[in-house]
Amino acid sequence: MKIRTVFLTGLATTLIAGNALACGDSLYRVGKGVSYRVYTAPLPGSVLVYGDSEGAEQLAAELARSGHGVRFVNSDEELKSELGSGDYDVVIAAYSDQSAIRSGTQAATKAPTFLPVAQSDEEEKAARQDHERVMMAQEDEIKHYLKAIHQTLKGGR
């Protein structure tokens, strides 16, 4: 009886210790720790973010962290210069700035896709008439922007 108890205790200890060692083992095999709450872009693209708010700047930083090549501009001169280069796949800006985006992309050989950000429900309805994808400034999270960019890159314009 005593031998059976010692044997079962030793077996249980071995099984528990084996699981404890394997718990974090996969993180070391990869070579890096896992960064949680960071979304990654499966298809990185070149994104231009235009705006003069702190939210636009934060959006640009999050998109860059996810793996996209991001340039943030906050003036009309910089916007026209960057759009004229034709190096961008997607331009993210407020829907109210669409005239500046259109005038800047007329000279570009390869016009980027405009992803408008609506500030209100009325603006969203108006934007949906001209654009397939419209983001809402107050409601959409970074994962929604990443999904819209990915769909744009994957499916063309």
Side-chain angles (χ1 to χ4, degrees):
M1 181 74 173
K2 188 173 184 175
I3 293 176
R4 184 182 291 174
T5 306
V6 170
F7 176 73
L8 290 175
T9 304
L11 182 63
T13 303
T14 303
L15 291 175
I16 292 171
N19 288 339
L21 289 175
C23 183
D25 196 24
S26 62
L27 296 179
Y28 294 112
R29 284 189 210 144
V30 175
K32 294 183 178 179
V34 175
S35 179
Y36 296 100
R37 297 180 191 241
V38 174
Y39 294 101
T40 56
L43 185 60
S46 180
V47 180
L48 177 65
V49 179
Y50 173 65
D52 59 356
S53 67
E54 186 178 324
E57 195 170 353
Q58 288 175 350
L59 174 64
E62 287 298 317
L63 291 174
R65 271 184 54 184
S66 71
H68 288 294
V70 179
R71 173 89 163 101
F72 173 72
V73 294
N74 58 4
S75 71
D76 290 338
E77 295 81 28
E78 285 180 311
L79 176 67
K80 287 179 184 178
S81 172
E82 291 297 323
L83 287 175
S85 70
D87 293 335
Y88 297 98
D89 300 313
V90 178
V91 176
I92 300 175
Y95 177 69
S96 58
D97 295 325
Q98 73 175 340
S99 60
I101 303 297
R102 284 186 183 155
S103 68
T105 57
Q106 287 176 351
T109 56
K110 178 186 151 204
T113 301
F114 176 45
L115 183 61
V117 181
Q119 304 294 328
S120 66
D121 292 335
E122 295 81 26
E123 227 180 51
E124 180 188 19
K125 288 177 187 175
R128 290 215 183 269
Q129 292 175 359
D130 298 330
H131 303 281
E132 183 179 339
R133 295 175 187 90
V134 178
M135 307 307 296
M136 285 297 291
Q138 303 301 325
E139 297 174 15
D140 287 323
E141 299 175 3
I142 184 67
K143 64 183 176 181
H144 298 132
Y145 285 92
L146 290 171
K147 183 178 179 181
I149 293 169
H150 179 71
Q151 289 172 343
T152 300
L153 294 173
K154 186 178 173 184
R157 313 255 181 252

